[in-house]
């Protein structure tokens, strides 16, 4: 299942509550979230057991300063730029998103996975609401 909560953000529930309710209904023992966007085909950042998103061998993220767009060091909140080696038929290899995140580290996540790991904190206020799978009609 894919898609964010952008258009129905007011109905958003915590990750813990969502997973708990889904487990109760589906009886699926392990539930993992993921982050990605249709604009960058092939880049999916899976959530680990610690609740962090991980870059694959084919992707990377850079957190950028809100005003200068300069790259930020670990543990600084900024705009998420997604980098991928996969898109070849269109200029989707580097996308500056309207999402806010924090790069937590590289090769040292407590889950044991290698590479960059990060958290997504939300969207920039006043960002245009758009999405592909979270449409909701009254």
């Amino acid at each position: 299942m894919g898609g964010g909560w952008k258009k129905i953000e007011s109905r958003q529930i915590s990750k813990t509550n969502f997973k708990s309710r889904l487990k109760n209904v589906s009886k699926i023992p392990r539930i993992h979230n993921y982050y990605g966007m249709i604009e960058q085909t092939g880049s999916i950042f899976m959530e680990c057991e610690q609740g962090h998103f991980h870059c694959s061998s084919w992707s990377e993220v850079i957190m950028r300063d809100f005003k200068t767009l300069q790259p930020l060091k670990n543990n600084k909140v900024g705009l998420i730029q997604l980098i991928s080696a996969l898109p070849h038929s269109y200029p989707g290899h580097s996308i500056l998103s309207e999402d806010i995140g924090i790069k937590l580290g590289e090769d040292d996540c407590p889950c044991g996975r290698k590479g960059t790991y990060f958290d997504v904190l939300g969207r920039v206020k006043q960002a245009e609401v758009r999405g592909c799978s979270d449409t909701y009609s009254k």
Side-chain angles (χ1 to χ4, degrees), residues 33-126:
N33 194 5
Y34 71 90
Y35 173 72
M37 54 183 59
I38 193 68
E39 296 88 348
Q40 196 171 59
T41 304
S43 293
I44 295 177
F45 304 88
M46 293 302 300
E47 179 187 59
C48 71
E49 296 78 10
Q50 301 296 314
H52 307 303
F53 295 110
H54 283 261
C55 294
S56 71
S57 301
W58 306 99
S59 62
E60 188 57 72
V61 293
I62 300 169
M63 300 305 158
R64 297 215 172 255
D65 183 271
F66 294 104
K67 293 181 182 178
T68 67
L69 297 181
Q70 291 299 308
L72 296 171
K73 295 184 184 216
N74 291 355
N75 300 307
K76 301 288 183 185
V77 175
L79 290 172
I80 302 174
Q81 179 180 2
L82 301 102
I83 310 292
S84 175
L86 298 177
H88 289 283
S89 63
Y90 66 101
H93 60 282
S94 177
I95 296 177
L96 182 61
S97 76
E98 293 176 325
D99 295 329
I100 299 169
I102 184 168
K103 181 178 171 184
L104 299 169
E106 190 171 331
D107 295 337
D108 60 357
C109 183
C111 76
R113 290 175 179 82
K114 300 298 181 189
T116 299
Y117 63 103
F118 64 101
D119 283 342
V120 178
L121 305 176
R123 292 188 49 83
V124 173
K125 289 191 188 318
Q126 307 298 322

